[in-house]
Amino acid sequence: MSDRRQKNQLVLAFTEEGRREAPKASREGTESRTAKGETERPASHEQWMEEVCERRNCWQAYKRVKANKGSPGIDGMKVGDLSGYLKQHWPSIGEQLLRGTYQPQPVRQVEIPKPDGGVRKLGIPTVLDRLIQQAVMQVLQRRWAPTFSEHSHGFRPKRSAHQAVAKAQQYIAAGHRGVVDLDLEKFFDRVNHDKLTIL
């Protein structure tokens, strides 16, 4: 890893003392213990993966992947081919997930032009891996979304950038003098992925 990249990661590793909560617009709506910094004991890996592999959860994940369509991954499988593939291979895939031995395929790298010039690098997982990612995300979201800060709007269900702007306008109207909009450029390209863990 380059010294510059390591320095960028260290700058992003905020200490507890350096973190500040956004101002509250009113006393209504309290945040969960976890959002306030208290910890919650997560369920065991086995229990989570049982929820991930549960039939109803996987069916919801399948419907979402099918609705999203999207390009094939590195294996060339199209979304329309997924149902037949799952009928034949799901018992062994589910077992691998439960045992913790499932290995996702590499992602297909593509570059998409940005309106202002340059390109955005995009990784396209295989359709099967998208299904598994969706199934995992649904379980994590049910467990953890209620613990997120009420001030968080990015990539949250039933939350939008428009709502974040409306909230910022409320803060200004309530007498606060400024609002900060923060976007970490190329964050996922620079974050230390070895330290990001799931389950």
Side-chain angles (χ1 to χ4, degrees):
M1 178 185 305
S2 71
D3 289 340
R4 183 175 178 198
R5 183 172 173 187
Q6 202 166 22
K7 183 178 177 185
N8 285 342
Q9 290 174 353
L10 289 174
V11 170
L12 293 174
F14 302 115
T15 61
E16 277 301 315
E17 305 87 57
R19 294 182 182 168
R20 297 194 187 273
E21 185 67 32
K24 293 197 183 300
S26 69
R27 289 183 177 234
E28 57 188 62
T30 57
E31 296 191 55
S32 67
R33 290 187 334 230
T34 306
K36 292 179 180 176
E38 298 175 26
T39 57
E40 176 183 297
R41 273 179 52 179
S44 70
H45 171 267
E46 293 82 11
Q47 182 182 349
W48 284 40
M49 287 312 293
E50 285 175 10
E51 286 184 52
V52 167
C53 295
E54 191 260 333
R55 183 179 177 87
R56 192 172 81 184
N57 186 59
C58 289
W59 176 244
Q60 289 173 339
Y62 171 78
K63 289 194 298 188
R64 179 63 60 92
V65 168
K66 189 175 177 187
N68 288 343
K69 300 177 183 171
S71 300
I74 198 166
D75 63 355
M77 183 189 300
K78 297 177 182 174
V79 173
D81 301 330
L82 182 59
S83 177
Y85 183 85
L86 290 173
K87 286 176 186 169
Q88 185 176 356
H89 298 284
W90 181 253
S92 102
I93 294 166
E95 193 169 315
Q96 289 172 38
L97 288 167
L98 291 171
R99 282 193 317 232
T101 59
Y102 178 81
Q103 292 292 316
Q105 295 294 310
V107 296
R108 182 166 67 92
Q109 298 292 329
V110 295
E111 292 182 347
I112 298 173
K114 291 184 179 180
D116 59 346
V119 294
R120 179 181 303 280
K121 293 182 180 177
L122 184 65
I124 302 176
T126 64
V127 176
L128 175 61
D129 286 340
R130 292 201 300 261
L131 169 83
I132 294 169
Q133 289 171 4
Q134 179 68 34
V136 169
M137 189 274 302
Q138 289 168 177
V139 170
L140 293 177
Q141 199 166 61
R142 282 194 297 268
R143 296 256 180 169
W144 295 103
T147 70
F148 293 163
S149 169
E150 66 183 72
H151 305 292
S152 170
H153 284 79
F155 302 99
R156 303 263 317 268
K158 300 178 184 174
R159 299 268 181 136
S160 69
H162 294 313
Q163 290 171 319
V165 169
K167 188 59 77 174
Q169 289 171 335
Q170 289 174 10
Y171 291 142
I172 296 294
H176 297 284
R177 294 185 305 169
V179 173
V180 176
D181 176 23
L182 181 67
D183 184 14
L184 301 176
E185 183 182 1
K186 297 182 180 176
F187 173 76
F188 289 106
D189 296 340
R190 295 178 177 145
V191 71
N192 185 337
H193 287 268
D194 294 336
K195 293 186 178 180
L196 294 178
T197 58
I198 295 179
L199 304 178

